[in-house]
Structure formats: C-alpha cells, structure tokens
Amino acid sequence: MIKIILLLSQMVFAAPSIQSVDGDYTKSCHLMEDDSLITHLKIQDARWTFTHVAYEDERCTKAYLVYELQYKVKTVDRNIDMTLVQASYTSLTNTVTESLNMINWCGFSDWKTNEAKVVSGRVCDEYKAPEEGEILYSTYQVKALEPLQIFMGTASSELDGKTPNSRYQLTERQAYIKNK
C-alpha cells in the first residue's frame, strides 16, 4: 500500500523535463504587495512570457496597467535559469497615460495608451526593472493534474535568485493553471 501511495505522489508532481509544459497559463486574481493582479504565463519552448495585469480593485475587474517580462529559459529538472529578453509596461487607460507622462515615469514623458514601452534596466517609481540579459535563478514545480499546474519559485530571506548559489528554493502557493 505504501508503494502505491509513493508511486501516485510521484505521478502528481511530475518532473518538468519529462512533460511538455508549453501553453498558456493563468494565475487568478491575487495580491502582490499593494497591487491586485491577474498574471498570464505563455510558454513556448524556451521562451516564457509573464504578463501581469494590474487592476484598480481587489476583484480584478478594472485593468489599468500591464507589466510584461519576456525570458529565454534553460531548465534542468526543477531548476530554471531565466534570462531577461525584455521588460515593458503598457498603460491601458488615457487617465493612467496622462499621469505617467506628468510624472515622467521610468524616464519617459511620451507614454501612449495601449502601446508598450520597453523599460528594461530603468527605474520606475522605486522599482528597478531587470536589465536585458539579467539572469534569475529559480525553481518551479509542475503538478500533473487536469488542467496542468505550474508553481513558480519565489524569493526567501536568504535566497534572492541573483546567483546559482542563491537560487530560489521555495515555490509560490498559488499555481498558474493551464488554460483549456
């Protein structure tokens, strides 16, 4: 009986290298610091794109800004090395666009609604976007359920993901769930 339980538990948490994870995933409405977000993950071979859509309300009904990170990735077992290709912001409303232009956000005063602005390596408010070519050393876990679920790595107090020795070891509690 114990062998069967062990076998089943290994099947539920399949090794990412055995199983294709290509596809579109969504992490439902969640809070990140003071922001309400829905995050989309598109995986196509070694290209992973995270699209964070920020909302004005906690129920994620009125979107106002998109932050997108495009990575080229290398994976070995549960380890993932994510090299930034590009970071960008897109304003989704004219009001937000006017505000971004007034404060010269990310060093730009020519924001346009629904037009992505590349911000790789720039300081936007108090947040510095990653630089092109910067590597994030992380981990991830695939839960082989229907639909497929991916749990991405997250920083801890000792592990910031900036070097292979400080690779993220913990995973987020909320999964990216594969879209049908």
Side-chain angles (χ1 to χ4, degrees):
M1 183 67 160
I2 290 177
K3 287 182 182 179
I4 292 173
I5 291 172
L6 287 173
L7 178 63
L8 288 174
S9 68
Q10 289 175 351
M11 290 172 60
V12 170
F13 289 103
S17 57
I18 295 171
Q19 178 172 19
S20 172
V21 293
D22 281 8
D24 297 315
Y25 298 79
T26 301
K27 184 193 284 190
S28 61
C29 189
H30 60 283
L31 288 175
M32 183 178 282
E33 296 178 18
D34 294 336
D35 295 315
S36 296
L37 304 173
I38 292 178
T39 302
H40 304 279
L41 169 59
K42 181 178 183 78
I43 302 173
Q44 189 172 14
D45 297 321
R47 202 161 189 76
W48 292 38
T49 303
F50 293 85
T51 305
H52 305 280
V53 182
Y55 291 83
E56 293 178 7
D57 61 306
E58 290 181 5
R59 288 190 225 146
C60 296
T61 60
K62 189 164 184 195
Y64 70 92
L65 188 69
V66 173
Y67 180 52
E68 185 171 276
L69 297 159
Q70 298 174 18
Y71 291 99
K72 188 173 79 179
V73 305
K74 284 193 260 184
T75 61
V76 176
D77 296 325
R78 289 187 51 196
N79 291 337
I80 183 168
D81 298 350
M82 305 170 66
T83 304
L84 185 78
V85 174
Q86 176 179 291
S88 66
Y89 278 107
T90 304
S91 169
L92 299 178
T93 70
N94 291 334
T95 304
V96 171
T97 301
E98 287 176 29
S99 297
L100 297 179
N101 284 326
M102 283 193 312
I103 63 171
N104 202 35
W105 202 51
C106 306
F108 296 112
S109 59
D110 60 346
W111 290 90
K112 293 187 172 115
T113 304
N114 295 317
E115 188 175 297
K117 185 74 82 174
V118 176
V119 297
S120 307
R122 290 184 169 263
V123 176
C124 304
D125 200 8
E126 296 175 6
Y127 171 73
K128 183 178 184 286
E131 307 228 7
E132 184 179 325
E134 188 173 317
I135 300 173
L136 176 64
Y137 298 93
S138 188
T139 188
Y140 73 113
Q141 186 173 24
V142 175
K143 198 168 186 181
L145 297 175
E146 193 57 43
L148 200 66
Q149 297 179 15
I150 295 179
F151 294 84
M152 291 303 300
T154 188
S156 62
S157 56
E158 315 81 46
L159 304 171
D160 63 8
K162 294 183 184 205
T163 67
N165 289 335
S166 65
R167 179 182 302 280
Y168 294 170
Q169 296 299 313
L170 302 176
T171 55
E172 297 174 324
R173 290 181 183 187
Q174 188 174 354
Y176 289 87
I177 299 174
K178 190 166 190 176
N179 301 335
K180 293 183 181 183

